[in-house]
Amino acid sequence: MPTILIVDDEEDIRELIAINLLREEKYTLLEAINGLEALHLAKTKRPDLIILDLMLPEMDGLTVHKNLREDPRTVNIPVIMLTARGRLEEKIQGLEMGADDYLAKPFSPKELILRVRNLLRRTNQNHGGSLIETGPFSLDKNALKLHLEGDEIELTATEFKLLLSLIESPGITQERSDLLKKVWGYSDMIQTRTLDTHIKRLREKLGSNGNSIETVRGVGYRFLEETV
Amino acid sequence: MPTILIVDDEEDIRELIAINLLREEKYTLLEAINGLEALHLAKTKRPDLIILDLMLPEMDGLTVHKNLREDPRTVNIPVIMLTARGRLEEKIQGLEMGADDYLAKPFSPKELILRVRNLLRRTNQNHGGSLIETGPFSLDKNALKLHLEGDEIELTATEFKLLLSLIESPGITQERSDLLKKVWGYSDMIQTRTLDTHIKRLREKLGSNGNSIETVRGVGYRFLEETV
DNA sequence: TCCTGTCGTGACAATTACGTCACGACGAAC
DNA sequence: GTTCGTCGTGACGTAATTGTCACGACAGGA
């Protein structure tokens, strides 16, 4: 369940956001009314998303954002900035500092929800999960594992790198020399059966999905997203 | 050098975007004037970003976008949508379909540049590079390698997973049981020296940066972003 | 200071992964 | 059908990885 931190000193805005978020989907909410509190919460609780008003007492939103970006614990947390009226100055300044999105008050609740959902979807795909999903394949870059039709398949480091290289460009034929370079670091066009052997081992582990790795005779191999 | 695909049937808009992008940074540009051309280019050239006008002859932008999202080759390419005037209807529709950003004509060239830069930065962090960077450490999830102060350090699969677990939460102490679960999949609180041994091996490979892994006696280990 | 539990370290054996080879099967071109 | 080159496959030796253990060092509390 994603955690969202709302930073705003106006209670009715916090409430408006909270109500809309809670109604739409299941989120855990954190609230802060000033910059220091926000920074502390962000660094200890590590929310998945921060909605940050630019107008805050004492420490303004841009400063809070700068602080967030300077700490490795929070540098990757996406931020949606809020401001009264969409003043271009602040807008550009916010984007320049790496805000991930921007919302001008008064905003439409529907737009807020959509922006939150989009941002969470993007970051989940990457940072949190590091999952590459294609068809029935789900490759976990963190655990170095493959999930396939409910089964959890252990891959060796070489197999993982090979499958990753193939799966990252579905439908596209990769030449033998390219794969040898990507996975083994071979720079020359080496005559070796190593690649074939590992392809075979991969196909074995993929079981009935082994034919997702297609041989392109004389060229290389190709990953098919759909089993023919 | 990132490749950007511009899809718009108005030549002066394409030119405006091209001029501003080319002036600011080094990009490779592709241009398309209708949906079919855009889809073909996207699937064969695989640009890093697509700037897509909603108003196109024959196939409208939303349909193009839908097609992009349905093909594994293009599903991960971020899209900035362009529309005449920021009509809320289209805005919401675009975001709902997973557009990554939205720009209303007439737009400020500066804002365009910033949005492009932000989106590329976000996606590079994840998909393309899969690099986790903290201080002098640069962990490559695709190649399963560690770059540290110019050196390329080979890690075994176990070492990689262990370092990844630590480095993903810098400054935060991870309990032994958590690490055992994350890296080895042990569910019970097992009494083992395996973790210690691997920590030792990691520290050896990290050389003078070995003290970035701090022991928290009785609890676990902690990764420090800055060498003390 | 002593005691206790935790951690670091080096060595070791078992397991696993890896690359190579030989041979047979198969496709494509003629 | 024949020929040639590429690919699949099983086996095998080598190298690397891994988990465990024993012992000593050390920190923290009594």
Side-chain angles (χ1 to χ4, degrees):
Chain A
M1 185 153 67
T3 303
I4 299 177
L5 171 61
I6 302 167
V7 190
D8 201 313
D9 64 327
E10 297 176 61
E11 189 180 346
D12 46 339
I13 296 272
R14 288 205 311 276
E15 207 163 308
L16 174 68
I17 295 175
I19 287 173
N20 279 287
L21 285 179
L22 291 175
R23 192 180 53 191
E24 268 292 315
E25 319 232 354
K26 294 148 204 155
Y27 299 117
T28 307
L29 292 186
L30 297 171
E31 298 188 21
I33 61 173
N34 64 54
L36 284 178
E37 194 183 351
L39 287 175
H40 179 255
L41 274 175
K43 286 170 190 187
T44 53
K45 300 290 186 178
R46 305 184 142 227
D48 301 282
L49 177 76
I50 299 175
I51 299 175
L52 176 65
D53 197 327
L54 281 181
M55 193 84 83
L56 290 174
E58 297 176 33
M59 185 189 293
D60 73 297
L62 286 178
T63 310
V64 172
H65 186 257
K66 197 175 161 213
N67 268 280
L68 289 172
R69 285 293 173 263
E70 283 169 354
D71 191 308
R73 279 172 292 181
T74 55
V75 67
N76 281 322
I77 304 177
V79 172
I80 295 180
M81 287 193 180
L82 289 183
T83 191
R85 292 178 213 104
R87 281 191 287 168
L88 192 60
E89 290 307 304
E90 286 183 347
K91 198 165 180 174
I92 286 180
Q93 210 176 347
L95 286 169
E96 201 155 39
M97 291 185 58
D100 300 284
D101 212 335
Y102 194 92
L103 214 48
K105 289 189 280 191
F107 50 83
S108 131
K110 197 167 179 183
E111 189 175 348
L112 168 71
I113 297 291
L114 290 172
R115 288 183 180 273
V116 166
R117 197 188 300 161
N118 276 349
L119 265 184
L120 285 179
R121 182 174 48 76
R122 296 210 102 242
T123 44
N124 258 350
Q125 269 188 358
N126 324 316
H127 151 259
S130 281
L131 283 183
I132 298 212
E133 307 201 21
T134 306
F137 295 85
S138 172
L139 205 52
D140 188 332
K141 285 192 188 183
N142 289 352
L144 302 185
K145 273 180 192 163
L146 170 69
H147 293 262
L148 179 56
E149 292 172 354
D151 295 328
E152 188 176 286
I153 299 176
E154 297 276 351
L155 298 176
T156 71
T158 308
E159 287 161 3
F160 183 86
K161 284 189 279 186
L162 177 56
L163 182 56
L164 188 59
S165 299
L166 289 169
I167 222 169
E168 270 188 341
S169 303
I172 293 193
T173 302
Q174 311 226 35
E175 297 184 18
R176 294 178 71 92
S177 58
D178 288 343
L179 289 169
L180 285 171
K181 188 176 176 189
K182 269 193 204 171
V183 178
W184 284 271
Y186 293 170
S187 52
D188 308 327
M189 180 55 187
I190 291 180
Q191 162 67 24
T192 175
R193 315 303 326 280
T194 301
L195 174 57
D196 304 65
T197 305
H198 278 275
I199 289 283
K200 180 205 168 228
R201 289 172 183 158
L202 254 184
R203 282 176 174 154
E204 277 175 2
K205 290 202 176 177
L206 299 189
S208 60
N209 291 95
N211 52 9
S212 291
I213 301 178
E214 192 189 48
T215 305
V216 182
R217 209 180 162 77
V219 184
Y221 295 92
R222 186 159 72 119
F223 183 84
L224 304 173
E225 55 265 347
E226 294 181 37
T227 311
V228 186
Chain B
M1 185 151 69
T3 303
I4 299 177
L5 170 60
I6 302 167
V7 190
D8 201 313
D9 64 326
E10 298 176 60
E11 189 180 347
D12 46 339
I13 297 272
R14 289 205 311 275
E15 208 164 308
L16 174 69
I17 295 175
I19 286 171
N20 279 287
L21 285 179
L22 291 174
R23 194 181 50 192
E24 267 292 312
E25 319 232 355
K26 294 147 203 154
Y27 299 117
T28 306
L29 292 186
L30 298 171
E31 298 187 20
I33 61 174
N34 65 53
L36 283 178
E37 194 184 349
L39 287 175
H40 178 256
L41 274 175
K43 286 169 190 188
T44 52
K45 300 291 186 177
R46 307 184 142 226
D48 301 282
L49 177 77
I50 299 176
I51 299 175
L52 176 65
D53 197 328
L54 281 181
M55 192 86 82
L56 289 175
E58 298 177 31
M59 185 189 294
D60 73 297
L62 286 178
T63 309
V64 172
H65 187 257
K66 196 175 161 216
N67 267 282
L68 290 172
R69 285 293 173 264
E70 282 169 355
D71 191 308
R73 280 172 292 184
T74 54
V75 68
N76 281 322
I77 303 177
V79 172
I80 295 179
M81 286 192 179
L82 288 182
T83 191
R85 292 180 214 103
R87 280 191 288 169
L88 191 60
E89 291 307 303
E90 286 184 348
K91 199 165 182 174
I92 286 180
Q93 208 177 347
L95 286 169
E96 200 156 37
M97 292 185 58
D100 299 283
D101 212 336
Y102 194 93
L103 213 49
K105 289 190 279 191
F107 50 83
S108 130
K110 197 167 179 183
E111 190 175 347
L112 168 71
I113 298 292
L114 290 173
R115 288 184 181 273
V116 166
R117 199 189 299 161
N118 275 349
L119 264 185
L120 285 179
R121 182 173 48 75
R122 298 209 101 242
T123 44
N124 258 351
Q125 269 187 358
N126 323 317
H127 152 258
S130 280
L131 283 184
I132 299 214
E133 307 202 23
T134 307
F137 295 85
S138 173
L139 205 52
D140 187 332
K141 285 193 189 182
N142 288 352
L144 303 184
K145 275 180 192 165
L146 170 68
H147 293 262
L148 179 56
E149 291 172 353
D151 295 329
E152 188 175 287
I153 300 175
E154 297 277 352
L155 298 177
T156 71
T158 309
E159 287 162 2
F160 183 86
K161 283 189 278 187
L162 178 56
L163 181 56
L164 188 59
S165 299
L166 288 169
I167 223 170
E168 270 188 340
S169 303
I172 293 194
T173 302
Q174 311 226 35
E175 297 184 19
R176 294 177 70 93
S177 58
D178 289 342
L179 290 169
L180 284 171
K181 189 175 176 190
K182 270 192 203 170
V183 178
W184 284 271
Y186 293 170
S187 52
D188 307 326
M189 179 55 186
I190 290 181
Q191 161 66 24
T192 176
R193 314 303 328 279
T194 302
L195 175 58
D196 305 64
T197 304
H198 278 275
I199 289 283
K200 180 204 167 229
R201 288 170 183 159
L202 254 185
R203 283 177 174 154
E204 277 176 3
K205 290 202 177 177
L206 300 189
S208 60
N209 291 94
N211 52 8
S212 291
I213 300 178
E214 193 189 46
T215 306
V216 182
R217 207 180 163 79
V219 184
Y221 295 92
R222 186 159 72 119
F223 183 83
L224 304 173
E225 54 267 324
E226 294 182 37
T227 311
V228 185

